[in-house]
Amino acid sequence: MGLLLRLARQWIAGETAEQGLEQVRKANSKGILGLLNLLGEHVETREDIDATVREYQKLLDLIERDHLLSQISIKPTQMGLSVDFDYCLQNYLQVAQSCFEQGNNHLWIDMENSPYTQLTINLYTKILSKFPNTGIAIQAYLKRSEQDIKDLIPLGAKIRLVKGAYKEDPNIAFKSKKDVSDNYSRLLTVLFTECTQDNFVAVATHDRKMIELSKDLARKSPKSKYEYEMLMGVRDNLKSDLVSEGKQVREYIPYGPKWLPYSIRRIREKKSNILLLARSLVTQ
Ligand SMILES: Cc1cc2nc3c(=O)[nH]c(=O)nc-3n(C[C@H](O)[C@H](O)[C@H](O)COP(=O)(O)OP(=O)(O)OC[C@H]3O[C@@H](n4cnc5c(N)ncnc54)[C@H](O)[C@@H]3O)c2cc1C
């Protein structure tokens, strides 16, 4: 576990909120905005879920206290989606209300694996109708996403487009890197073409080709409201390049003791991460 933790530390600010805020401070000093996430998913007891709601509210207070530039992003099963839909909705609404009170800050909803897709969209549309400063992640590897995006845009949705990080069945998901990238390009085009002033696009990828495409699309739709979002510990040079071009860039900064599932998804994303882990296990 020690090895894994050392590898994981590149993507994680630490175990405490203070360490998360410290990483936001570092990002802000480089002209990069923050997007804090308390690690945790599939939280099943109401006691733990209620504590999570309080932690996010505390985090929002600390962001305001320290005058930091950061939003927050939360996984639905961390707010109780696998326990009860209405309970989860109430939890999100409490945090959305705190965001609103703290300088009209924004709340993002992460997207988890496909059993939760529709529920998460249902949750999102309800939150969005009360709190317009709320966004949702949509996964380009899911075949349904084009329709989801087209349904969400007229509601004033703020959409973070990601490729998708979970193992999904080929019946519902594109599997090859090329097919996922092709769909990402297609969805990016829909977003930049169809979004209006009520919408917002977060281009959340480290893929240079997708970023170049988004720049072309933004040139053709100069009124688009958008930003780039990338993960802590991935492609820092690309973040700096975009900042120096005058683009708005935000870094997703996770923290907390429950770092394992998130870290495994990050390790799987790049062959060299898997090799690094394998090599360090062999040379132990
Ligand atoms: C801000 C943000 C929020 C996200 N939220 C969600 C979410 O809610 N739900 C969800 O399913 N997924 C989410 N993701 C993860 C996303 O789905 C992808 O798994 C991840 O971003 C890698 O895809 P990519 O677009 O960077 O493209 P890829 O083709 O995977 O990567 C492009 C290049 O980026 C670099 N790179 C990518 N990942 C890593 C890594 N882990 N370590 C080192 N280099 C790397 C490599 O150089 C790679 O060649 C989020 C990603 C970001 C940036």
Side-chain angles (χ1 to χ4, degrees):
M1 199 65 110
L3 269 177
L4 206 52
L5 180 57
R6 252 184 290 147
L7 187 59
R9 274 308 298 260
Q10 64 186 296
W11 300 297
I12 289 162
E15 298 215 339
T16 65
E18 201 38 64
Q19 287 171 302
L21 293 166
E22 189 48 41
Q23 182 63 27
V24 173
R25 232 167 258 128
K26 274 192 207 152
N28 285 179
S29 72
K30 296 183 211 155
I32 296 170
L33 308 167
L35 186 57
L36 279 164
N37 166 261
L38 168 64
L39 290 161
E41 45 205 87
H42 299 284
V43 185
E44 305 287 350
T45 72
R46 287 183 185 239
E47 199 185 350
D48 289 347
I49 295 164
D50 294 348
T52 304
V53 171
R54 287 195 297 275
E55 170 80 15
Y56 276 112
Q57 289 173 319
K58 185 182 92 185
L59 199 57
L60 287 163
D61 286 343
L62 294 174
I63 290 170
E64 199 184 37
R65 182 201 68 186
D66 292 354
H67 307 292
L68 294 174
L69 298 173
S70 185
Q71 300 172 351
I72 58 169
S73 197
I74 313 182
K75 292 202 171 11
T77 66
Q78 188 178 30
M79 290 274 107
L81 190 58
S82 53
V83 177
D84 179 72
F85 182 88
D86 287 331
Y87 170 60
C88 179
L89 175 61
Q90 290 314 315
N91 289 332
Y92 265 112
L93 288 173
Q94 276 189 61
V95 178
Q97 178 67 35
S98 302
C99 279
F100 177 70
E101 285 163 9
Q102 304 286 17
N104 212 3
N105 206 341
H106 288 237
L107 165 66
W108 285 94
I109 302 179
D110 286 345
M111 186 62 82
E112 298 178 89
N113 49 339
S114 56
Y116 299 104
T117 309
Q118 189 57 51
L119 288 169
T120 302
I121 290 175
N122 297 347
L123 194 66
Y124 175 59
T125 54
K126 287 186 187 296
I127 302 167
L128 183 67
S129 67
K130 293 201 168 74
F131 296 99
N133 283 351
T134 312
I136 187 172
I138 294 287
Q139 296 155 326
Y141 65 12
L142 290 187
K143 294 177 183 170
R144 58 175 287 165
S145 289
E146 183 167 354
Q147 192 55 51
D148 288 336
I149 284 180
K150 288 182 172 164
D151 293 341
L152 285 167
I153 289 174
L155 306 179
K158 282 64 188 174
I159 296 176
R160 174 206 296 159
L161 187 62
V162 301
K163 286 191 181 174
Y166 299 83
K167 276 193 184 153
E168 296 293 357
D169 190 277
N171 289 326
I172 59 163
F174 298 106
K175 296 302 280 185
S176 72
K177 262 191 173 293
K178 179 178 181 311
D179 287 350
V180 176
S181 294
D182 287 351
N183 203 41
Y184 195 100
S185 309
R186 196 158 38 239
L187 300 186
L188 211 48
T189 308
V190 172
L191 286 168
F192 275 93
T193 319
E194 296 188 12
C195 279
T196 69
Q197 288 296 294
D198 293 337
N199 303 109
F200 186 84
V201 183
V203 182
T205 180
H206 315 90
D207 184 335
R208 277 184 194 275
K209 273 196 192 154
M210 302 302 128
I211 289 174
E212 289 310 315
L213 171 65
S214 70
K215 288 183 194 168
D216 277 352
L217 291 165
R219 266 191 292 270
K220 289 179 195 146
S221 309
K223 286 190 178 158
S224 306
K225 290 171 36 192
Y226 69 100
E227 69 181 14
Y228 293 96
E229 293 186 355
M230 293 187 214
L231 303 176
M232 178 189 161
V234 181
R235 295 227 150 150
D236 287 343
N237 290 342
L238 185 53
K239 291 170 198 159
S240 306
D241 291 348
L242 288 167
V243 170
S244 54
E245 288 169 32
K247 306 288 186 199
Q248 182 162 306
V249 180
R250 190 174 296 282
E251 183 173 77
Y252 187 97
I253 300 172
Y255 74 91
K258 295 183 183 160
W259 49 269
L260 191 59
Y262 178 87
S263 307
I264 289 172
R265 287 197 290 276
R266 298 291 80 78
I267 288 170
R268 282 207 341 242
E269 265 156 15
K270 208 177 171 213
K271 213 180 269 170
S272 60
N273 291 335
I274 301 170
L275 293 175
L276 193 65
L277 179 66
R279 208 173 310 133
S280 47
L281 287 170
V282 171
T283 53
Q284 262 292 290

